Amino acid sequence: LSQTTYRPTSKTMMRRACTAMPVARRMASVPTAAIVAARPASTVAISVQGLHYVGTGLAAIALAGVGLGIGTIFGNLLVACARQPNMTRMLFNYAILGFALTEAIGLFALMLAFLMLFS
């Protein structure tokens, strides 16, 4: 087998095209209209429904931040209760308030994701 069978097709075709004839002769043999011929547009088809899915996925990233925030709130609650057990009741009330506010942000993000998906 020759060396060209082991090369990728693009290199083989380029090598054949470049060594077939000199550049001046190649340019002379090609009509001017073929040089500036318009290429077809991209073959990637973008649909509106696909963009709805992308937007929904990006809006759902906020839900990961909400999960981290709630975990941080209750993790710090446990540390604070371990340091000062006599303030457990007050710290728990603050933790529930923080949980509610953080969860509200998550619900707004989820609502936004659903609006993007179904509108």
Side-chain angles (χ1 to χ4, degrees):
L1 295 173
S2 69
Q3 289 182 347
T4 58
T5 57
Y6 294 114
R7 289 186 186 153
T9 306
S10 61
K11 284 188 178 180
T12 305
M13 297 305 277
M14 288 298 292
R15 184 168 182 232
R16 286 183 190 164
C18 291
T19 57
M21 64 176 81
V23 174
R25 224 186 246 171
R26 272 187 280 153
M27 295 306 288
S29 65
V30 176
T32 309
I35 294 174
V36 293
R39 284 194 199 175
S42 176
T43 58
V44 177
I46 298 175
S47 67
V48 175
Q49 186 64 31
L51 293 176
H52 281 270
Y53 291 138
V54 170
T56 302
L58 291 174
I61 292 174
L63 299 176
V66 169
L68 288 172
I70 291 172
T72 303
I73 288 171
F74 285 107
N76 288 332
L77 171 69
L78 291 175
V79 170
C81 288
R83 287 184 178 195
Q84 294 187 347
N86 58 343
M87 296 185 68
T88 301
R89 189 152 188 94
M90 187 182 73
L91 292 173
F92 184 75
N93 290 337
Y94 286 140
I96 293 297
L97 178 65
F99 167 77
L101 294 175
T102 307
E103 190 65 28
I105 293 171
L107 291 175
F108 288 140
L110 189 63
M111 180 187 65
L112 182 67
F114 282 139
L115 281 174
M116 288 177 154
L117 183 62
F118 295 116
S119 65

